[in-house]
Amino acid sequence: MSSIFDRKVFDEIEEAQTKWNEELDRIFSSKPERLKRFSTVSDREIKRIYTPKDVGSQDFMNDLGFPGQYPFTRGVQPSMYRGRLWTMRMFAGLGSATDTNRRFHLLVKEGQTGLSTAFDMPTLMGYDTDSPKARGECGKCGVAIDNLKDMEDLFDGLPIDKITTSMTINPPASVIWAMYIAMAEKRGIDRRVIGGTIQNDMLKEFIAQKTFMCPPKPSVRVITDTVEFGTNNVPRWNTISISGYHIREAGSTAVQELAFTIADGIAYTQEAIDRGLDVDDFAPRFSFFFNSHLDFFEEIAKFRAARRMWARIMKERFKAKDPRSWWLRFHTQTAGCSLTAQQPYNNVIRTALQALAAVMGGTQSLHTNSLDEVLAIPTEEAATIALRTQQIIAEESGVANTIDPLGGSYFVESLTNQMEEEAFDIINKIDDMGGMLTAIEKNYPQQEIADSAYHYQRQVDQKEKTVVGVNKYATDEEIPVDMLEIDEELEKLQIEKNNRVKSERDATSVKECLEKVGEACVGTQNVMEPLIEAVKAYATLQEICDVFRAVFGEYRDPGIY
Amino acid sequence: MGKKRHIRVMVAKPGLDGHDRGARIIARAYRDAGFEVVYSGLHQTPEEIVEAAIQEDVDMIGLSSLAGAHNYLFPRTIELLREKGADDIDVCGGGIIPDEDILKLKEEGIKEIFTPGTSLDDIVSWVKANVKTR
Amino acid sequence: MDSVAEKVIAGDIRAVARLIRDIDDGMPEVRETLKELYPSTGHAYVLGITGAPGVGKSTLVDQMVNHMRKNNKTVGVLAVDPTSPFSGGAILGDRVRMQRHSMDEGVFIRSMATRGHFGGLTQSTRSAIDVLDAMGKDYIIVETVGVGQDEVDVVKSAHTTVIVVIPGMGDDIQAIKAGILETGDIFIINKADREGADKTMSDLRLMIDMDKKKYEGGKWKPPILKAQAVFDKGVTEILEEIERHRQYLLKTSGDLQFRRKKNRVQEELIDMLKKRLIEEVLENLTETGQFDQAVDSIVQGKIDPYSACDDLVLPAIEFLTGESGKG
């Protein structure tokens, strides 16, 4: 195996670099370097310059290769954006199903190529709008879905047999998926035809996003049910979107995001194998979801490292044989936590740079945040600008002309290698603890994230890290931005609608269906078919989730700070 | 001689919102500033928060909300404190709260709202200057 | 107008909460109230739960409260967490795990910080126990992190002391031995599903059995129980053992008024005297500026600390005892 550079060249470079550094030290002795410390947002120190030496003995064919070839560092598909651009998939959800349906139609008209659904807090937590816990929350951060009728209204008039739908839902993911399948079947669309994703990743909930319902073990059991069901019945569906986005939003570093996400993926893979499934049957349908944060090159390196790591893990650890099992396909969202309420128009630029990093990192689909995301659900104008950001990158910037344009950069290759190594260290630590479920029980990832979050905030407060418009270049001037408001009446109307659905359905049938769901939960039968029957009978989301809660118990926040 | 009391604050997460990054960070900052901080944990109803605040005899409740339900949850907390004769406990808020809502909330009795980008030191200074212990 | 003490006895939650605050902050008017309350104390059964951070104490307490409530008993919980020695602040996070009881009128939960001043933990917590006792609680649970002498002392204020460990603590069990092991009436191995539970069990048993003589003649031998608090496993058995210990105490002492037994009273009175005397003297010396003067003198090397101390204190001792302390 040949190295890109040989020993003699390395020695020459070493000598030249030493001289160059000495010269710089002379320059900086009279006028110091621009900053005391040059580091990424994750606080990784970055060197003055990178040379072939930093890439070391990297082997082009084995470590990089070509897109679509193991270990996929340069891209999962052979053709990448030369064949087809990434899917522009803007997250949307607000108010009632009809409101969101309208937003979906708008985005599709403006050129979006896939649907992505945001649900409101009660729906995310498995409550109906009329639950006392849901007071004041209806429709505020996404669409309210209480029953199958809401799901039917949500996708009214949209060609779900032709475009794919992503649904960001976790504890009640199985139920919401059941509603989607039922809705499609009622429209005569077969379950083998529909394509999409449910996020359905409870491990990261316990670690970071904290929408929970039932404890970890039964949650993972239900997820494995969905994986099994998808493998056998809904072949075009990605049943888990193994997520790092939220882990990063909760305050982790880039390496922690990478490591914990992959560790979650390892856990889900093992669970499915323990269930008796063949890895090549389900692994091709696992997808990932990453954050694209502020440090341009760190993010690109992260994406490349992720692909290589997953390929190696799938091939060597889990002995997968189908190349599609080795692929790490991912959706990216630009970092919400990096946006500011001050001078909101700055957020357009932040989002653009983060989107650029995601594209240069080879993402399969992308959501770009809107400038007003820190204040409220985006207005149509703001959401359109965010979509245009992607379109300009795709059509005007030229970065999609070639695949993996930064491949071979001494800096990026070095960073990719470093991040892979550090992430594997964390994964080994988790393995030593007994796997992700045990690590979560021990509060290990939660505590690591809390510490990183606090560290970063302290750096911002002490101006070691700049936030433009906030701790530097701040103005007192108020910059007005139009904001979307959710009608307060909505909660009342939604409750009335849900009551109507309940009064028109067959109560006996609902009762029987719920009992069957309960039986499946208590036993080992896959819960999906009973769930599809229950939603078809118009059992509500909470009625079904209450069965889960009754059988599996409820999980309460342990309060790690 | 007037004895100096320790400031006791409660950091609470009302409603279903699970974003606790800010709440946890401010709790640490309060501790580093010498306060005693009772952390409520996630998914608390206003009723649970007020009950806990009374039992813990806190000087201030800090409510954190990033999922848009503040217009119900924050005033409800004030209302409950009043009902229980405990409205000498100050209530502040933080999170994703639009400007027009801030005005309304202050009218309803919220003492201050800390929006994203406010430094921890500024928040701590404000509390030290404006929240009175008994 | 009811006095504070009357309100406490009537179960007024706000009054109780404020009184505990005043006790914690060392407000002088508290003494009169505590005097008034004292006759109403002596009914509650006090449990001390202690163990290293992360063993699951709060979760266990939460489950115990649940069981007690099902048996119609009222409960007061004092959850004690360490004050940061650097900032003087504290995050009191035990309550999170018990929050489901916050709306239950039969449960009063209070978080306290150790505050680290001389005898602070012991005295404030003892007084807080008295308050919850006078309030009428059937059980009072005091949860502390058992790592220091302070916490060991608090645990002496309890009828039954429960020590919680988790499997795999290894050397930490040896560390527990110092003082705390002797005070344990019941040992719990929580998270017992983890690897090493059986070894931890045998390690503990070995340590307890080592001192066989202690348990001769029908004396209480601490049982070791396994539990998984988060799944409510083993909690019923723990409560049964606590009840068994309570019966044992009744049988051997005749009553449960352990704090009115001579040696307890001596200990508590000494603590109270120490704290009170020191506070008063220190306050006086600070007010008159003598304390700061002494500090400055020592810093400037004009006097050694021992002499400085004598100079400060001897006049006070003379005044109290009518004798000169020198010579």
Side-chain angles (χ1 to χ4, degrees):
Chain A
M1 301 295 118
S2 60
S3 161
I4 304 180
F5 307 98
D6 65 40
R7 187 83 254 151
K8 189 163 161 290
V9 176
F10 275 12
D11 289 338
E12 275 175 14
I13 294 173
E14 170 113 45
E15 216 189 299
Q17 189 165 3
T18 311
K19 283 213 190 84
W20 180 76
N21 269 314
E22 280 167 8
E23 194 194 324
L24 277 183
D25 288 336
R26 264 195 308 276
I27 296 174
F28 291 140
S29 62
S30 47
K31 189 162 181 267
E33 248 178 323
R34 178 171 59 84
L35 296 172
K36 272 205 224 72
R37 193 183 138 86
F38 290 81
S39 61
T40 66
V41 70
S42 305
D43 213 22
R44 167 190 300 280
E45 196 154 354
I46 300 296
K47 300 196 321 185
R48 288 171 180 167
I49 201 159
Y50 289 76
T51 68
K53 275 194 67 216
D54 294 298
V55 178
S57 55
Q58 181 156 72
D59 183 298
F60 182 85
M61 287 311 294
N62 279 335
D63 297 326
L64 289 184
F66 283 84
Q69 285 177 14
Y70 184 87
F72 307 100
T73 317
R74 309 199 75 182
V76 279
Q77 292 100 355
S79 58
M80 285 303 289
Y81 307 142
R82 292 284 293 220
R84 198 169 68 92
L85 286 170
W86 64 91
T87 306
M88 300 186 191
R89 195 186 289 282
M90 300 292 286
F91 197 38
L94 59 154
S96 70
T98 343
D99 293 331
T100 306
N101 179 264
R102 207 175 302 127
R103 179 62 69 93
F104 276 168
H105 278 282
L106 170 82
L107 288 167
V108 169
K109 181 165 139 291
E110 293 302 332
Q112 171 168 289
T113 42
L115 297 171
S116 177
T117 321
F119 299 94
D120 70 1
M121 284 311 309
T123 308
L124 291 173
M125 299 286 286
Y127 292 110
D128 288 345
T129 308
D130 58 2
S131 163
K133 288 194 187 245
R135 279 245 21 215
E137 312 241 23
C138 176
K140 292 276 162 54
C141 71
V143 66
I145 300 287
D146 290 335
N147 51 56
L148 179 60
K149 176 87 177 65
D150 287 328
M151 187 63 77
E152 290 165 20
D153 290 343
L154 181 58
F155 291 100
D156 186 39
L158 291 157
I160 61 169
D161 49 346
K162 300 204 179 59
I163 55 178
T164 55
T165 302
S166 171
M167 296 189 283
T168 301
I169 185 93
N170 293 281
S174 53
V175 184
I176 294 289
W177 192 33
M179 285 187 190
Y180 190 87
I181 295 169
M183 179 249 332
E185 287 183 345
K186 284 186 83 177
R187 281 163 63 165
I189 301 171
D190 188 78
R191 50 177 78 163
R192 306 200 78 85
V193 163
I194 52 174
T197 307
I198 36 173
Q199 196 167 85
N200 196 25
D201 169 7
M202 282 307 296
L203 290 177
K204 69 94 171 46
E205 295 301 326
F206 296 113
I207 294 172
Q209 183 165 245
K210 321 244 169 126
T211 57
F212 10 78
M213 195 162 76
C214 301
K217 281 213 181 70
S219 299
V220 172
R221 172 262 162 105
V222 172
I223 291 172
T224 315
D225 279 2
T226 58
V227 171
E228 189 180 39
F229 187 79
T231 304
N232 296 327
N233 298 282
V234 198
R236 295 188 61 220
W237 200 275
N238 302 316
T239 38
I240 316 182
S241 177
I242 305 165
S243 305
Y245 178 81
H246 320 78
I247 293 175
R248 193 68 184 275
E249 292 290 297
S252 81
T253 62
V255 166
Q256 287 169 339
E257 178 195 346
L258 180 59
F260 293 148
T261 309
I262 303 237
D264 286 346
I266 292 173
Y268 290 127
T269 306
Q270 193 60 59
E271 286 289 326
I273 289 175
D274 291 343
R275 177 67 75 92
L277 297 170
D278 186 287
V279 65
D280 287 316
D281 283 341
F282 64 83
R285 277 292 156 201
F286 275 178
S287 63
F288 287 78
F289 174 29
F290 286 113
N291 195 307
S292 187
H293 210 288
L294 289 168
D295 195 285
F296 190 72
F297 293 106
E298 186 176 53
E299 295 303 290
I300 294 170
K302 180 186 80 187
F303 300 131
R304 298 168 94 247
R307 275 195 294 270
R308 191 159 68 204
M309 288 174 72
W310 189 248
R312 289 189 167 149
I313 289 168
M314 276 291 124
K315 187 161 190 251
E316 291 161 28
R317 179 171 174 156
F318 291 110
K319 313 281 188 243
K321 304 211 178 43
D322 183 347
R324 290 174 312 139
S325 298
W326 307 331
W327 289 3
L328 181 139
R329 298 170 302 127
F330 66 100
H331 171 74
T332 308
Q333 176 165 343
T334 58
C337 63
S338 68
L339 305 181
T340 58
Q342 295 80 349
Q343 302 174 27
Y345 289 102
N346 294 343
N347 294 329
V348 177
I349 296 112
R350 293 190 176 101
T351 301
L353 293 171
Q354 292 161 359
L356 189 62
V359 166
M360 293 181 84
T363 190
Q364 274 59 53
S365 75
L366 179 60
H367 162 92
T368 29
N369 286 332
S370 305
L371 65 104
D372 51 0
E373 206 102 33
V374 187
L375 303 165
I377 291 183
T379 58
E380 284 180 9
E381 293 78 19
T384 306
I385 293 177
L387 181 57
R388 296 281 178 259
T389 305
Q390 294 196 44
Q391 291 161 339
I392 291 172
I393 290 176
E395 317 272 3
E396 294 181 14
S397 75
V399 302
N401 285 342
T402 192
I403 302 172
D404 190 35
L406 287 173
S409 148
Y410 312 126
F411 181 28
V412 171
E413 295 299 354
S414 165
L415 260 186
T416 307
N417 293 343
Q418 268 179 61
M419 291 187 75
E420 179 180 357
E421 199 183 310
E422 290 168 22
F424 265 126
D425 281 342
I426 296 176
I427 291 176
N428 290 336
K429 201 165 173 181
I430 292 173
D431 277 338
D432 287 341
M433 282 185 203
M436 214 6 149
L437 268 166
T438 314
I440 288 173
E441 240 176 82
K442 292 189 168 166
N443 291 315
Y444 167 65
Q446 298 94 310
Q447 191 64 60
E448 289 289 290
I449 294 169
D451 291 341
S452 297
Y454 192 62
H455 179 72
Y456 176 71
Q457 185 61 45
R458 273 284 166 232
Q459 288 187 309
V460 169
D461 283 353
Q462 275 148 26
K463 305 210 171 155
E464 283 169 27
K465 288 264 176 285
T466 304
V467 183
V468 171
V470 174
N471 68 4
K472 201 172 180 184
Y473 310 118
T475 57
D476 282 327
E477 201 191 320
E478 296 265 315
I479 298 181
V481 156
D482 282 331
M483 284 206 307
L484 187 101
E485 278 182 39
I486 301 294
D487 189 0
E488 297 294 332
E489 270 294 282
L490 174 66
E491 190 168 317
K492 198 162 129 273
L493 294 169
Q494 182 67 17
I495 294 176
E496 279 168 15
K497 184 181 180 196
N498 197 26
N499 287 337
R500 259 196 317 274
V501 168
K502 280 157 90 166
S503 63
E504 288 167 9
R505 65 189 184 176
D506 178 350
T508 323
S509 176
V510 169
K511 190 159 163 293
E512 282 169 10
C513 286
L514 290 175
E515 274 166 15
K516 290 219 182 76
V517 170
E519 281 164 22
C521 289
V522 170
T524 52
Q525 183 201 349
N526 191 303
V527 299
M528 284 309 298
E529 289 288 8
L531 287 178
I532 295 173
E533 286 312 302
V535 302
K536 278 185 176 164
Y538 291 94
T540 71
L541 179 69
Q542 184 167 345
E543 284 169 343
I544 299 173
C545 289
D546 282 346
V547 174
F548 282 154
R549 281 186 266 259
V551 174
F552 298 132
E554 274 187 78
Y555 183 81
R556 282 174 294 137
D557 176 27
I560 305 301
Y561 53 84
Chain B
M1 186 175 87
K3 276 232 164 189
K4 192 140 186 293
R5 292 185 184 272
H6 268 76
I7 301 185
R8 275 173 78 91
V9 302
M10 171 170 266
V11 172
K13 288 288 307 172
L16 299 174
D17 172 31
H19 298 94
D20 59 357
R21 174 176 179 174
R24 288 181 290 120
I25 287 177
I26 196 68
R28 283 211 208 184
Y30 285 154
R31 177 203 51 200
D32 290 346
F35 305 166
E36 288 178 355
V37 188
V38 178
Y39 180 56
S40 78
L42 290 168
H43 311 134
Q44 301 297 302
T45 60
E47 288 76 7
E48 287 168 332
I49 291 171
V50 166
E51 206 49 56
I54 291 175
Q55 287 180 22
E56 297 288 351
D57 196 39
V58 298
D59 301 308
M60 179 192 98
I61 302 173
L63 298 171
S64 160
S65 163
L66 287 90
H70 47 272
N71 284 328
Y72 166 69
L73 294 166
F74 290 13
R76 179 72 181 129
T77 306
I78 302 257
E79 190 181 34
L80 285 165
L81 284 169
R82 257 185 219 131
E83 271 172 35
K84 302 214 163 237
D87 53 347
D88 57 331
I89 298 179
D90 289 330
V91 181
C92 294
I96 306 275
I97 298 164
D99 283 337
E100 322 75 86
D101 291 355
I102 293 181
L103 286 164
K104 256 188 276 143
L105 290 170
K106 282 185 168 172
E107 276 164 28
E108 308 224 29
I110 305 286
K111 225 166 160 189
E112 186 56 274
I113 300 270
F114 301 109
T115 45
T118 316
S119 83
L120 296 174
D121 288 334
D122 284 346
I123 298 176
V124 166
S125 305
W126 186 92
V127 174
K128 280 186 173 163
N130 292 283
V131 173
K132 303 272 165 281
T133 61
R134 262 187 303 115
Chain C
M1 240 297 260
D2 283 345
S3 74
V4 175
E6 283 163 340
K7 287 192 188 147
V8 166
I9 294 170
D12 180 335
I13 294 186
R14 197 111 220 262
V16 170
R18 300 191 115 163
L19 179 56
I20 295 181
R21 180 84 181 276
D22 288 341
I23 292 169
D24 233 359
D25 287 335
M27 296 292 137
E29 53 269 23
V30 146
R31 270 197 285 278
E32 287 310 309
T33 309
L34 287 174
K35 286 179 195 169
E36 234 184 291
L37 283 177
Y38 191 73
S40 305
T41 65
H43 307 288
Y45 194 78
V46 185
L47 296 169
I49 313 275
T50 191
V55 298
K57 296 185 294 297
S58 301
T59 310
L60 180 60
V61 172
D62 169 68
Q63 299 286 19
M64 285 170 64
V65 170
N66 201 33
H67 283 246
M68 288 167 176
R69 290 300 293 138
K70 287 204 181 120
N71 294 329
N72 272 311
K73 298 289 181 199
T74 58
V75 192
V77 179
L78 294 171
V80 186
D81 272 321
T83 295
S84 157
F86 307 112
S87 71
I91 294 191
L92 308 173
D94 295 328
R95 193 187 185 102
V96 179
R97 272 157 265 223
M98 304 177 213
Q99 260 298 79
R100 64 169 160 159
H101 300 291
S102 56
M103 300 298 295
D104 183 345
E105 277 175 16
V107 181
F108 185 96
I109 301 170
R110 178 60 173 247
S111 312
M112 297 175 84
T114 54
R115 292 200 182 174
H117 51 255
F118 186 89
L121 171 65
T122 319
Q123 191 51 56
S124 293
T125 319
R126 275 205 202 109
S127 303
I129 293 174
D130 282 341
V131 174
L132 294 179
D133 193 346
M135 187 193 188
K137 295 294 179 231
D138 296 318
Y139 286 99
I140 298 170
I141 303 178
V142 183
E143 181 197 325
T144 66
V145 175
V147 289
Q149 196 55 38
D150 273 354
E151 284 83 352
V152 175
D153 287 342
V154 164
V155 131
K156 284 184 183 166
S157 302
H159 289 101
T160 303
T161 302
V162 177
I163 297 184
V164 186
V165 301
I166 46 172
M169 276 175 86
D171 299 324
D172 298 341
I173 299 225
Q174 303 297 323
I176 298 177
K177 197 171 180 204
I180 297 178
L181 196 68
E182 276 95 61
T183 59
D185 298 310
I186 298 175
F187 289 84
I188 313 288
I189 301 173
N190 195 28
K191 309 195 188 186
D193 52 330
R194 289 211 192 153
E195 226 183 279
D198 288 328
K199 173 140 197 318
T200 307
M201 173 77 94
S202 49
D203 282 347
L204 275 174
R205 202 155 261 148
L206 205 71
M207 261 194 279
I208 293 172
D209 284 351
M210 257 197 315
D211 211 356
K212 277 209 173 70
K213 286 209 202 75
K214 259 176 93 172
Y215 314 117
E216 274 169 6
K219 292 227 184 77
W220 178 264
K221 185 170 171 196
I224 309 171
L225 297 158
K226 280 188 183 164
Q228 287 174 248
V230 76
F231 299 120
D232 198 15
K233 282 196 183 148
V235 184
T236 315
E237 290 79 356
I238 294 171
L239 289 168
E240 278 166 13
E241 286 297 332
I242 290 172
E243 181 53 31
R244 196 167 68 87
H245 188 238
R246 196 175 82 92
Q247 295 300 332
Y248 166 81
L249 289 176
L250 265 174
K251 207 176 68 159
T252 51
S253 313
D255 64 44
L256 293 170
Q257 300 300 336
F258 73 100
R259 280 178 66 197
R260 301 192 187 168
K261 298 289 191 286
K262 196 162 178 202
N263 47 353
R264 271 304 154 83
V265 168
Q266 279 177 328
E267 269 178 40
E268 282 188 26
L269 194 55
I270 291 178
D271 280 345
M272 263 194 221
L273 280 169
K274 278 186 190 167
K275 181 169 187 272
R276 182 89 189 270
L277 283 171
I278 290 199
E279 264 177 24
E280 301 263 1
V281 172
L282 201 53
E283 206 173 291
N284 174 266
L285 290 172
T286 314
E287 252 174 25
T288 55
Q290 290 176 275
F291 184 78
D292 285 333
Q293 266 177 21
V295 169
D296 286 340
S297 298
I298 300 171
V299 163
Q300 288 161 23
K302 290 188 191 152
I303 192 173
D304 69 85
Y306 307 97
S307 308
C309 184
D310 274 355
D311 288 347
L312 288 174
V313 146
L314 285 175
I317 294 178
E318 253 185 72
F319 176 77
L320 276 179
T321 62
E323 282 169 21
S324 161
K326 277 204 173 100

